[in-house]
Amino acid sequence: MSPNVQPRLLKRLQIASSAGQERPTAAGAEVSRVAAPALAPLAATTIPVGVGPYGVAITPGGFAYVVNAASNDATVIDTATDTVVIPSLALPGSVPTWVALAGNGSAYVTNFVSNNVTVIDTVTNTVVVPGITVGTNPNSVAVAPNGNAYVGNQGSNDVSVIDTVTNTVVVPSIPVGTQPFAVAVASNGNAYVANLDSNDVTVIDTVTNTVIASIPAGTEPSGVAIAPNGNAYVPNGLSNDVTVIDTATNTVLIPSIPVGGAPAGVAVAPNGKAYVVNEATGDVTVIDTVTNTVVVPSIPVDNSPVADAVAPNGKIYVTNIGSSDVSVIPPYPDLTGISPNQGPLGGGTVVTISGTNLSGASVTIGGNPATGVSVNAAGTQITATTPAGSAGPADVTVTTPGGVATLAGAFTYVAGPTLTGISPTQGPAAGGTVVTITGTNLTGASVTIGGNPAAGVSVNPAGTQITATTPAGAPGPATVVVTTLGGSARLANSFTYVVVAHATQLTVTPALLELFPPQVYYPFLYATLTDLVTGLPVPGQTITFTAGSNFLGTATTNAQGVAQLSEAVSFPLILFNGGYTAAFAGTPTLQPSTAHGGIIAP
């Protein structure tokens, strides 16, 4: 073991052999634990493994391989059940530190002291190659898309390349920075090597196996992981931060994102959350790689965490070298939407919140807790009832054991409508009157009058005026009700339905008289009553006959609408007044009408 690489590993192994003692602080770093947010009661469960767990890798099938540096073995965990399926798989190398999985199903384990790499068949869980000799103090390994494994040799300051098909070394040494401590391969095929002592990251083109760049990082870069967006995240153990590198340009995108004490490793989940393990403070910081902001300052784990990996089910597995166990962190929740996205100030709207990793969720809207929260079995949908809130947009926040996710301003509280008047205030019972209703907060309104829906409802852009057409209704006063997403308002008995009487017409026959000598030529007067709306005769109505101021008599219309009155006695009055008048007084449904009959002398 090269003297310049002894201190960190020996320190970690000493920690592993004294599990349960107080967590150490990295040299030169005065660090205090960062408290978790009050709204995020995050917690991790632990799984005992071998002594001094260091590296961890997870197969596509969900089995976590944990290499234990102090007990020279590997522990296999089923991440579906979080149970140990193989407590100890003996490894022939000395001080295994890291593990990476190849596409052929083999696991490649670096042995720090024996200077070689062991190959495990993860199907049979047997050692198929005891040791492939590489450089001095191999401490990290990553497999490129071309199938080659890139081994960072901390003692010889170089990278060895293994062909995973033949399990032979194809490139013994690619010189890199001082003390290469971690390796990751980006989607562009380049390998990124974090160099602990030269405070930089070496970039290797895995096609040509040549160094193409050296990128400055923080102090003691001790890990590297690639996010879905292609950026590389490098935790710096002594500057207590993370450097973000743009792998498209191989330039520093963000020099420093502060995290916990002595960050030692990092893994990025498919949802873009980077989990940084902080060795000195014994916790994990979560960074959103889309916004490059810390979304969870601290998730406590166990003693001296050094590495982590993400399982297919989204859970995070953290190796704790000081307590010889693995912490399991639930997956971070992600939100995609809420429906409906509006409701009244008083709350009570049943909403559906969609996303992933939502199991165990609680919900606040506008900072107030929702009620009736339930989550489907897949953890992709929450049903909840909104609390009361203030008018305007409100944040929707979901807290799970894995973190806190927010849809900013995703739900809008809508103020209820107010009504000030309606014009006109009356119309026919048959409906069809166009009315204007005034008020405030009328956007999206529906209208009923007398309990029946109005037609042709439209609202002006300001939400202060509604135009609508009245439905049919019962004669008399009716209440106007306006309903929006914010609630309902009413104008009691504000519109009156009236019965409109049909216009009528009376037609009469002239009086037939013989003038000299005066006598009745034809003995009857006739008046016919017609409904001008329907065009039909009106039976059963009383017609009054007069001559001047003289009452001649009344008659009732027959089925043909004709009223007949004898003029045998009254002809002198008719003659004196130059004719007669027939009058219909009207009813609630029929308008009054009159007609004048003259005199005809045959």
Side-chain angles (χ1 to χ4, degrees):
M1 186 184 304
S2 176
N4 66 330
V5 299
Q6 286 185 13
R8 176 172 285 238
L9 181 61
L10 288 176
K11 182 178 181 180
R12 285 177 169 174
L13 292 178
Q14 289 169 358
I15 292 171
S17 64
S18 58
Q21 296 183 10
E22 183 179 357
R23 296 182 178 91
T25 300
E30 295 296 329
V31 181
S32 61
R33 179 178 295 281
V34 180
L39 286 176
L42 310 182
T45 57
T46 56
I47 302 172
V49 291
V51 183
Y54 204 100
V56 55
I58 302 175
T59 68
F63 290 93
Y65 284 75
V66 180
V67 293
N68 305 301
S71 54
N72 290 316
D73 60 3
T75 301
V76 183
I77 299 170
D78 183 347
T79 63
T81 59
D82 286 334
T83 57
V84 172
V85 292
I86 299 179
S88 177
L89 176 61
L91 299 175
S94 178
V95 188
T97 53
W98 210 261
V99 57
L101 295 165
N104 59 12
S106 295
Y108 289 76
V109 180
T110 58
N111 300 301
F112 191 85
V113 174
S114 56
N115 300 325
N116 58 11
V117 173
T118 298
V119 184
I120 301 171
D121 183 337
T122 62
V123 175
T124 62
N125 286 315
T126 57
V127 173
V128 292
V129 180
I132 303 171
T133 301
V134 289
T136 305
N137 304 134
N139 187 59
S140 56
V141 59
V143 180
N146 61 13
N148 290 339
Y150 288 75
V151 180
N153 303 303
Q154 190 175 350
S156 53
N157 300 324
D158 59 8
V159 169
S160 299
V161 183
I162 298 172
D163 183 338
T164 62
V165 176
T166 62
N167 285 324
T168 58
V169 174
V170 292
V171 181
S173 175
I174 302 173
V176 291
T178 306
Q179 292 200 41
F181 200 78
V183 183
V185 180
S187 57
N188 59 14
N190 292 337
Y192 290 77
V193 183
N195 302 302
L196 194 69
D197 273 7
S198 55
N199 301 325
D200 57 8
V201 173
T202 300
V203 185
I204 299 172
D205 183 335
T206 63
V207 176
T208 62
N209 287 321
T210 57
V211 173
I212 58 174
S214 177
I215 306 167
T219 307
E220 280 201 1
S222 53
V224 60
I226 312 298
N229 59 15
N231 292 336
Y233 287 75
V234 180
N236 304 298
L238 277 185
S239 53
N240 301 322
D241 58 9
V242 170
T243 299
V244 184
I245 296 171
D246 182 343
T247 63
T249 61
N250 287 326
T251 58
V252 173
L253 184 65
I254 298 178
S256 174
I257 300 175
V259 290
V266 59
V268 181
N271 63 4
K273 302 301 184 293
Y275 291 77
V276 182
V277 294
N278 303 303
E279 186 174 3
T281 47
D283 57 9
V284 172
T285 299
V286 184
I287 297 172
D288 185 335
T289 64
V290 175
T291 61
N292 286 316
T293 57
V294 172
V295 290
V296 183
S298 173
I299 303 175
V301 286
D302 219 330
N303 198 337
S304 297
V306 292
D308 59 347
V310 182
N313 58 16
K315 291 186 288 187
I316 315 301
Y317 290 77
V318 181
T319 56
N320 303 299
I321 195 170
S323 49
S324 295
D325 55 22
V326 170
S327 294
V328 184
I329 300 173
Y332 196 95
D334 284 293
L335 304 179
T336 56
I338 182 172
S339 180
N341 60 7
Q342 293 181 315
L345 302 183
T349 303
V350 177
V351 295
T352 299
I353 304 168
S354 54
T356 57
N357 305 322
L358 305 181
S359 296
S362 61
V363 178
T364 63
I365 300 178
N368 301 313
T371 58
V373 176
S374 64
V375 185
N376 67 348
T380 59
Q381 185 172 289
I382 299 171
T383 301
T385 301
T386 62
S390 302
D395 291 349
V396 177
T397 300
V398 171
T399 302
T400 73
V404 181
T406 298
L407 290 170
F411 186 83
T412 299
Y413 281 102
V414 180
T418 63
L419 303 179
T420 56
I422 182 172
S423 178
T425 58
Q426 67 177 23
T433 303
V434 176
V435 295
T436 298
I437 302 167
T438 55
T440 60
N441 304 321
L442 305 179
T443 300
S446 61
V447 179
T448 63
I449 301 177
N452 300 312
V457 177
S458 64
V459 185
N460 69 345
T464 58
Q465 184 174 291
I466 299 171
T467 301
T469 301
T470 62
T479 296
V480 176
V481 178
V482 172
T483 301
T484 70
L485 286 172
S488 296
R490 62 184 55 217
L491 293 169
N493 298 328
S494 57
F495 185 83
T496 301
Y497 281 109
V498 294
V499 177
V500 177
H502 290 190
T504 61
Q505 181 181 54
L506 271 177
T507 57
V508 296
T509 59
L512 296 176
L513 304 174
E514 184 177 302
L515 301 180
F516 302 103
Q519 64 178 354
V520 175
Y521 182 80
Y522 189 78
F524 295 104
L525 303 176
Y526 296 96
T528 301
L529 181 64
T530 302
D531 185 329
L532 291 181
V533 175
T534 64
L536 299 175
V538 182
Q541 302 301 321
T542 300
I543 307 300
T544 300
F545 294 86
T546 59
S549 61
N550 301 289
F551 174 74
L552 302 181
T554 61
T556 302
T557 57
N558 61 17
Q560 287 72 43
V562 177
Q564 175 183 295
L565 179 71
S566 173
E567 60 174 331
V569 177
S570 57
F571 78 91
L573 294 174
I574 296 172
L575 180 61
F576 178 77
N577 286 281
Y580 70 96
T581 298
F584 169 57
T587 69
T589 59
L590 296 170
Q591 294 180 3
S593 58
T594 61
H596 180 74
I599 299 172
I600 295 178

